[in-house]
Amino acid sequence: MVNTRPDEISSIILGQIEQYDQEVKVFNTGTVLQVGDGIARIHGLDGVMAGELVEFEDGTVGTALNLESDNAGAVSTGDGLATQEGSSVKATGKIAQIPVSDAYLGRVVNAPAQPIDGKGRTAASESRLIESPAPGTISRRSVYEPMQTGLIAIDSTIPIGRGQRELVIGDRQTGKTAVATDTIPNQRGQNAIRVHVAIGQKASSVAQVVNTSEERGAMEYTIVVAETANSPATSQYPAPYTGAASAEYSMYRKQHALIIYDDLSKQAQAHRQMSLLPRRPPGREAYPGDVLHSHSRPLERAAKLSSQLGEGSMTALPIVETQAGDVPAYIPTNVISITDGQIFLSADLSNAGVRPAINVGISVSRAGSAAQIKAMKQVAGKLKLELAQFAELEASAQSASDLDKATRNQLARGQRLRELPKQSQPAPLSVEEQVATTHAGVSGCLDVLDIGQVQGFLVQLREYLITNKPDFAEITRPTKTFTERAEIPLKEAIKEHTESFLLLQKQI
């Protein structure tokens, strides 16, 4: 038996008292009153914030959506099947955020930024709120730096600048996703990253985007955020905000980010579903009153930052699907009002085999020539005007029986100019190739060709320039201007190639 002296006991007790650290943990908890369709009504979550993350008893995470006087409505980010009435809910005090890192490049993730490509977890030391304020007026500068897409139809007539928001709109199966993804290979080596947000798309379509990106070597600077058609509305809705947060991470690190929202029509439908289930008041076409705000929040975050912030940029290409060409519908007009222009893809052109099926006449870029390389500005000034005049003349000429020679010549020129923007997929063109192609059209060099010969002629002309007149590219590429010195070898190349091409056609 060990004898313990009283002074030893008192010293032990004193030591314990000195080491005692009083810590009070306060949890904001509530109880589930009703649950169904991924929506839970919770009583007792006093002081919960709008958009705050809440944790259910089964470990499922939700977001507080409706804040009413006696209860809060929360949407579950999981299937919510294990959540039951009477179970407890705990407020986390956190707004939704995602991990961000360069390690996410080349990966496919879901809305909470968890990898879903089977390549394991990704380490990230930083995180960003998925909802963050857009850069203010002082933090921005005017859009001035061109974002070359490699597509003549866009770069010559509807130029896009870094930091711009350009809507891609059209009916289904008109090539909207293809136009957006065809801009990707041209971003290589330009300190640029790309975020492709797939909302409510078929899993096979997302897989095709990933496979195509890997084949083109673009996946190494790409992040794909995918919430497919079988994902619940509560997962599809935050996907654009996750993509915007990932792109912002690069923008504030002096990089250039290109984000594609494919497409915002599906996100609006998910938002409508999320709002109708908690019995929020419906508005036009049953969409909630804040559906415009849900689109403006991610799109307004696109910006060209000021010199003080490093001149990083985030360029947004939102995609909206129309029904039977109904552009004045609710969602298309909302997004048009937010963006800096639109690229309209026509079902008629698509059915006629025109690729890309861009209707140049009604497409517009509000950045205009400020976001265009000087060389393109010099040669493409007349192109859009002539195409618009041709479309108008073509419509009126159908009812005219007798046309004068000048009108016939203008129609013939327009038919050949309409062949210029046609490109195979994917075949992005360099600046000098676009300048040469556009100049050949607007200068009338294609007038001597049959319409069916134009595409073959232009492809061979670009090859002829590379092999026989390399000085044209050497003059144009560094300065991005079309000078008289550059015009001389181009005119020589067009003349020589036209003679050999026509001679070959006669022999055939």
Side-chain angles (χ1 to χ4, degrees), residues 82 288 404:
D404 59 80

Side-chain angles (χ1 to χ4, degrees), residues 152 157 177 191 208 235 251 273 276-277 281 286-287 298 301-302 315 317 323 355 359 472 482-483 500:
I152 294 181
T157 58
T177 303
N191 191 30
Q208 186 177 357
S235 298
M251 176 176 72
Q273 183 179 334
L276 290 175
L277 286 171
Y287 286 106
R301 290 157 74 174
T315 309
L317 292 181
Q323 305 294 326
R355 297 288 187 277
N359 187 327
F472 168 72
F482 185 57
T483 59
S500 61

Side-chain angles (χ1 to χ4, degrees), residues 118-142:
K119 297 180 181 178
R121 298 177 63 84
T122 300
S125 57
E126 295 183 49
S127 62
R128 284 192 71 88
L129 296 174
I130 66 168
E131 295 259 21
S132 61
T137 307
I138 306 302
S139 303
R140 299 172 182 254
R141 65 172 299 173
S142 298

Side-chain angles (χ1 to χ4, degrees), residues 20-93:
Y20 176 69
D21 183 17
Q22 184 177 6
E23 183 181 356
V24 179
K25 291 186 178 180
V26 179
F27 294 103
N28 186 9
T29 60
T31 306
V32 175
L33 295 176
Q34 182 185 13
V35 62
D37 296 317
I39 304 293
R41 291 190 177 277
I42 305 162
H43 174 71
L45 276 184
D46 299 329
V48 69
M49 299 179 287
E52 183 178 346
L53 296 179
V54 296
E55 187 177 342
F56 292 92
E57 194 175 318
D58 63 337
T60 305
V61 176
T63 306
L65 189 67
N66 275 19
L67 304 182
E68 300 179 18
S69 57
D70 58 346
N71 67 78
V75 294
S76 172
T77 54
D79 53 26
L81 297 177
T83 304
Q84 299 178 349
E85 292 180 18
S87 59
S88 64
V89 186
K90 183 173 66 176
T92 62

Side-chain angles (χ1 to χ4, degrees), residues 6-25:
D7 57 336
E8 291 180 350
I9 296 172
S10 60
S11 65
I12 292 170
I13 293 171
L14 283 171
Q16 293 288 340
I17 292 171
E18 287 172 358
Q19 293 174 11
Y20 176 69
D21 183 17
Q22 184 177 6
E23 183 181 356
V24 179
K25 291 186 178 180

Side-chain angles (χ1 to χ4, degrees), residues 232-269:
T234 51
S235 298
Q236 293 182 30
Y237 172 73
Y241 307 104
T242 298
S246 300
E248 272 181 336
Y249 172 70
S250 298
M251 176 176 72
Y252 285 110
R253 294 170 70 233
K254 305 180 182 180
Q255 292 180 301
H256 303 296
L258 169 65
I259 182 164
I260 299 166
Y261 300 107
D262 188 13
D263 67 65
L264 291 184
S265 308
K266 302 289 194 306
Q267 195 237 2
Q269 291 163 14

